[in-house]
Amino acid sequence: MDAFYASVEQRDRPELRGRPVVVGGTSGRGVVMAASYEARPFGVRSAMPMAQALARCPDAVVVRGRMDRYVAVAHELRAIFHRFTPLVEPLSLDEAFLDVTASVALFGRPAEIARRVKDAIRAETALAASAGVAPSKFVAKIASDVCKPDGLLVVAPEEVRGFLAPLPVRHVWGVGRVTEAALLRLGLRTIGDLAAAEPRLLARHFRGGAAELVALARGLDDRPVRAAREPRSIGEEETFARDLPRAAVIPYLLAQAEHVARRLRARGLGARTVALKVKLAARSRAGRFPTLTRRHTLAEPTADEGALFAVARTLLAHLDLGDRRVRLAGLAAANLVRATPVQLPLFTAARESAARRAAAARAVDELVRRFGADVVRRRLPP
């Protein structure tokens, strides 16, 4: 999908159409989740600090992300994909691989199927999508990236090497900023340069994966599309407008637990592991903000916000923070499994539901007492 989060916001709010829109944290310390194509000419990109984005594009409209909304739209997209093939492998909320090999007889050649998928998305969701058609997942992904926005690019098998050769090495899977810098130091600037390299020579400069990098650069990727892949984790995190002491982080964890639990239940999943992420405010000697992570594995999987919150709160309590304040906190559910429905007797279910409501009410009352009603009201979902 093209600028997915920002495009959903522009679709749902007509007054944002044609304007530079940045989705992410609304505080100066927030991070950009997505930028509309009107904002991108200013150099605004995802994962950029919000303060930097606004410095580059002062007229941008900042919109807080609505993950529940994006997940709902993603379900609509998956339903469209599955009309054309059962072999759909989600790559993220707004990306997926489709193997249409067995669908050609019914829907036409792969390029025609891609066009029909794009048309269906536009007609049913009012959103634009870009599609890459190629003999492998790696090449199809790059093709979809380079033809954005609203593009369709077909790379035939005999065209793969020529298509890849002039592209920067950063397009290769597994090449992040550190690996890219190392390749550039070796004079390997394009995928063609990397394809011509000798894996044994590269292995001297990399701990591992040199052979895989060269194979991808040569267009060799035989990985199949694996359907119905479940997410590895579901999480929420937030960078705070100001640095917080440990106790003031608790209302944020409560809201994150609610959001994560809701997404787990929507997917029919339970989590065996709860993870806490905390980024400290004080910079390290290397100039970075130290990040602490802790995990706890439960005896039974859960999609209950109370259980997620209790674990996260305990993990936070046991962190050795000293007097250091917190810049960011996040909660994630991992080690996910398909939830097994349990049918409780009517009166037992009613008692448990009432007990949960009472426990939640007590927790909220305690938070209000400690932090004030305004703070808690802002953090809890409606």
Side-chain angles (χ1 to χ4, degrees), residues 302-330:
T302 185
D304 179 80
E305 57 271 19
L308 299 178
F309 173 59
V311 173
R313 186 174 183 176
T314 300
L315 293 174
L316 177 67
H318 285 85
L319 283 181
D320 183 13
L321 300 182
D323 59 355
R324 293 176 295 180
R325 290 180 169 248
V326 177
R327 177 184 178 88
L328 171 151

Side-chain angles (χ1 to χ4, degrees), residues 221-232:
D221 177 23
D222 59 358
R223 290 170 297 177
V225 171
R226 301 188 181 279
R229 187 179 67 179
E230 296 288 7
R232 294 183 179 180

Side-chain angles (χ1 to χ4, degrees), residues 70 159 175 296:
Y70 309 143
E159 299 171 341
V175 176
H296 176 74

Side-chain angles (χ1 to χ4, degrees), residues 15 29 32 45 49 53 65 106 131 135 159 163 205 215 241 265 269 274 284 313 322 330 358 373:
E15 72 274 13
R29 286 185 173 182
V32 176
R45 296 289 184 271
L106 186 60
E159 299 171 341
F163 166 69
H205 301 274
R265 292 192 293 267
L269 298 173
V274 180
S284 66
R313 186 174 183 176

Side-chain angles (χ1 to χ4, degrees), residues 63 67 81 119-120 133 188 242 283 297 322 324 357 377:
V63 179
M67 191 56 62
F81 299 155
D119 289 347
V133 181
L188 305 176
R242 57 186 178 83
R283 292 180 184 269
T297 298
R324 293 176 295 180
R357 288 197 301 270
R377 188 180 300 112

Side-chain angles (χ1 to χ4, degrees), residues 96-225:
F97 293 115
L98 281 67
D99 185 340
V100 298
T101 305
S103 304
V104 170
L106 186 60
F107 297 110
R109 298 178 64 82
E112 173 63 16
I113 295 174
R115 185 191 64 77
R116 293 179 66 172
V117 171
K118 280 170 51 67
D119 289 347
I121 290 173
R122 183 176 292 280
E124 298 175 35
T125 71
L127 297 172
S130 296
V133 181
S136 69
K137 292 164 67 173
F138 170 61
V139 180
K141 173 68 169 69
I142 294 180
S144 70
D145 287 341
V146 301
C147 74
K148 290 180 179 291
D150 198 18
L152 170 57
L153 180 60
V154 180
V155 182
E158 65 274 12
E159 299 171 341
V160 167
R161 293 289 290 267
F163 166 69
L164 294 175
L167 298 175
V169 290
R170 65 175 178 272
H171 283 286
V172 179
W173 278 338
V175 176
R177 286 181 296 179
V178 174
T179 303
E180 180 186 14
L183 291 172
L184 293 177
R185 287 195 296 270
L186 295 174
L188 305 176
R189 300 185 175 279
T190 67
I191 294 181
D193 295 336
L194 183 57
E198 172 55 51
R200 287 179 296 179
L201 296 178
L202 282 182
R204 299 176 184 174
H205 301 274
F206 300 94
R207 293 182 179 179
E212 290 77 7
L213 289 178
V214 173
L216 288 175
R218 294 173 180 175
L220 304 176
D221 177 23
D222 59 358
R223 290 170 297 177
V225 171

